[in-house]
Amino acid sequence: MRAGHDPEPSATVIDAQSIKTSEGGEARGFDAGKRTTGRKRHVVVDTMGLLPVVAVTSASVQDRAGGRTVLARLAAGFRTISLVWADGGYAKSVDSTLLSWSRDALNIVVEIVKRTDDVKGFKVLPRRWVVERSLCATRRSVCIPGAAGRNSQGGSWAG
C-alpha cells in the first residue's frame, strides 16, 4: 500500500527455475532443456515481486504442468487475480491447453510475453523482469541484472 498499489493483486507473473540438488529429500529429475538434475521452482510473483504462490517439483516436470498447480493455488487464494504474464514455455505449439484451461476453469488470462527472435543473450522483457529478479534473489549466488561483471549478457553474480 505504501508503494501506491492495491493490497489485493490483480496481475501476476509466472516462471520456473531448475536448480541442481543433491540426492535425498523429495523427487529429483532431469530438465533436458537446462541440462540440470534436481528440482524445479515454480513461482508466481505480484507486480512488486512478492511471492503469493510457490511450488517445488522434480526438474523433469514441464512448465505447463507445474503452471497448472500454481495457477490453481493462485486462483484459490487470490480471487482478484485476472491476468498472469508468462514466457513462451507455458504455451508450446504442441500443447497450449494451459492457456484455455486457466481462462475457462480459473477465469485467469495467461498472456505470453515473447522475446524477439533476433535478440541474443540477456534482454529485459516488459512485465517478466519482475519474476526474473525474484528468481535471481533465490539463487545461492545472487545475480545482479545489468551490473558489469562476469556475465557477458549484462549481469554479474555476487556470492
Side-chain angles (χ1 to χ4, degrees), residues 97-152:
T97 58
L98 176 69
L99 305 183
S100 57
W101 172 80
S102 66
R103 183 187 63 242
D104 298 340
L106 306 176
N107 203 29
I108 294 175
V109 173
V110 176
E111 183 178 307
I112 304 301
V113 179
K114 294 185 178 181
R115 288 173 40 123
T116 55
D117 292 335
D118 59 341
V119 174
K120 300 273 189 221
F122 178 78
K123 170 77 171 129
V124 176
L125 297 175
R127 303 296 180 190
R128 293 217 352 98
W129 68 269
V130 177
V131 73
E132 297 296 345
R133 180 186 63 192
S134 296
L135 284 172
C136 205
T138 64
R139 294 184 190 146
R140 185 174 298 167
S141 296
V142 179
C143 174
I144 306 168
R150 295 190 301 187
N151 183 339
S152 64

